[in-house]
Amino acid sequence: MANRFPLIFNSSSNQIQELANSEGLDLSGCGIKDAASINVVGYCTITGAVNTNNSVGVNTTSSPSKFYVDGNSASNVVTLTDGVTITPDFSQGNNFTVVLGGNRTLANPTGITTGQTGVIYIVQDGTGSRTLGIGSHFHFSGGTAPTFTTSANAVDAIAFSVRSSTSIFSNAILDIKATS
């Protein structure tokens, strides 16, 4: 019984049946509503459509209206394609990186979600001296985009928070280096 767990009462056979762990449990279309909590021990993947009128909480006792995680969480760093115009698709992630191979423009992103936050890492290639223009939706303090570091292999970052579909609060962190 250690590798099995009870499933539900089967009215056809008038029995409680078990399901082997290796078989998995498909709850699609089951219509679970108003569940106070579902406890999962071990690894769990939730897939499928999510009703955005409700909420999902992971390891939290708060009453979330969206998705909350108590503890560590992470988001992949999406590699942007270098080109004359670099257009991030914010629906692909929250964190991005690009290595500049020439003078470029970071265009206004697509796939924006209001409230989304993240970082865009701007990396100079081994040659350096690459400039970066910024799309009009990125709003910096004082209304002026910074001059990014142009040294070979330099790393700058743009931390952002999406205020609206045309206003992205942006803060540049320039010339990021290891401490000595």
Side-chain angles (χ1 to χ4, degrees):
M1 186 84 162
N3 292 330
R4 301 175 70 82
F5 59 93
L7 183 57
I8 59 171
F9 179 75
N10 183 334
S11 59
S12 300
S13 63
N14 202 26
Q15 295 178 334
I16 294 177
Q17 296 184 336
E18 297 174 343
L19 180 69
N21 284 341
S22 61
E23 293 175 20
L25 178 60
D26 181 2
L27 296 175
S28 58
C30 70
I32 295 175
K33 295 180 181 179
D34 300 324
S37 66
I38 299 172
N39 294 319
V40 176
V41 177
Y43 179 78
C44 176
T45 301
I46 300 172
T47 59
V50 176
N51 181 342
T52 57
N53 293 327
N54 296 314
S55 59
V56 176
V58 176
N59 196 26
T60 181
T61 57
S62 63
S63 298
S65 60
K66 296 291 180 191
F67 185 78
Y68 287 81
V69 177
D70 282 353
N72 189 349
S73 67
S75 176
N76 292 332
V77 177
V78 177
T79 300
L80 298 172
T81 302
D82 179 46
V84 173
T85 301
I86 302 163
T87 306
D89 180 352
F90 278 15
S91 71
Q92 298 299 306
N94 294 322
N95 302 312
F96 303 88
T97 188
V98 64
V99 177
L100 303 180
N103 295 337
R104 307 294 191 227
T105 298
L106 183 65
N108 295 326
T110 62
I112 292 172
T113 299
T114 300
Q116 181 177 2
T117 61
V119 175
I120 302 171
Y121 298 100
I122 311 297
V123 182
Q124 291 282 334
D125 66 6
T127 301
S129 300
R130 313 304 189 180
T131 61
L132 184 66
I134 300 292
S136 62
H137 294 178
F138 291 95
H139 297 175
F140 290 88
S141 180
T144 303
T147 300
F148 292 95
T149 309
T150 57
S151 306
N153 302 309
V155 178
D156 294 331
I158 300 171
F160 67 86
S161 176
V162 177
R163 190 172 69 87
S164 72
S165 63
T166 60
S167 178
I168 303 169
F169 164 81
S170 304
N171 187 24
I173 304 144
L174 303 177
D175 203 16
I176 301 167
K177 297 180 180 178
T179 57
S180 50

